[in-house]
C-alpha cells in the first residue's frame, strides 16, 4: 500500500490550497483517513480526520477554514484549506488508519507535502 500526497505549495495569507492523498494497492477498506502537519521545531499534530462513514474531526485551529472529504471508491482523501494563515505553514502528511488488505490490517503514512503561507 502506498499513499501519495499532492497539492502543497506557496500561497499568500488569505489564500487557498487543496491537498489530495490517494491510497493505492490491494485495499479492501480504509477505516479513517486524515491529515497531520509538522512545523519546524514542533511535534506532528492532527489537522483533520474523516471516517469511512464520513464522521469528521478537526483541530480547533483549523475549524471553519479547512474541510476534509474523501472518495471511498477511489481511496482518496482531500483537504480544502481556505483563509490560510502563516501559522499553517508546515509539512502536511496524510494517514490511513485501519487499512485492510489481503495481508491484514495496519496504518500507513504518506509522503509529506510542503505548505508555505507567506504574510
Amino acid at each position: 500500500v502506498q499513499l501519495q500526497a499532492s497539492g502543497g505549495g506557496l500561497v499568500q495569507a488569505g489564500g487557498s490550497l487543496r491537498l489530495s492523498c490517494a491510497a493505492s494497492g490491494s485495499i479492501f477498506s480504509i477505516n479513517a483517513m486524515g491529515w497531520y502537519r509538522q512545523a519546524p521545531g514542533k511535534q506532528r499534530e492532527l489537522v483533520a480526520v474523516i471516517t469511512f462513514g464520513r464522521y469528521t474531526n478537526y483541530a480547533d485551529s483549523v475549524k471553519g477554514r479547512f474541510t476534509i472529504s474523501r472518495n471511498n471508491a477511489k481511496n482518496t482523501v482531500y483537504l480544502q484549506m481556505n483563509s490560510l494563515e502563516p501559522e499553517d505553514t508546515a509539512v502536511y502528511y496524510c494517514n490511513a488508519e485501519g487499512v485492510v488488505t489481503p495481508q491484514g490490517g495496519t496504518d500507513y503514512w504518506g509522503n509529506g507535502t510542503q505548505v508555505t503561507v507567506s504574510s
Side-chain angles (χ1 to χ4, degrees):
V1 175
Q2 290 188 329
L3 270 63
Q4 182 67 46
S6 61
L10 173 63
V11 64
Q12 289 188 331
S16 299
L17 284 174
R18 186 178 190 235
L19 305 183
S20 299
C21 177
S24 61
S26 298
I27 299 171
F28 292 145
S29 64
I30 302 175
N31 178 38
M33 301 186 79
W35 291 94
Y36 292 72
R37 67 186 181 187
Q38 187 167 18
K42 294 187 177 182
Q43 290 186 333
R44 188 174 297 189
E45 63 175 0
L46 173 69
V47 176
V49 63
I50 184 169
T51 67
F52 185 86
R54 295 185 171 80
Y55 169 83
T56 59
N57 189 36
Y58 295 90
D60 288 342
S61 60
V62 307
K63 284 180 180 178
R65 300 188 298 122
F66 291 9
T67 302
I68 190 169
S69 60
R70 68 186 281 178
N71 183 323
N72 289 333
K74 295 183 177 180
N75 292 323
T76 300
V77 63
Y78 308 95
L79 186 68
Q80 178 66 44
M81 305 185 293
N82 299 329
S83 302
L84 282 161
E85 303 169 353
E87 293 74 23
D88 296 317
T89 296
V91 178
Y92 284 68
Y93 297 91
C94 64
N95 171 267
E97 177 187 323
V99 181
V100 180
T101 70
Q103 290 73 40
T106 189
D107 301 343
Y108 293 88
W109 288 93
N111 58 305
T113 185
Q114 177 70 46
V115 171
T116 303
V117 184
S118 62
S119 57

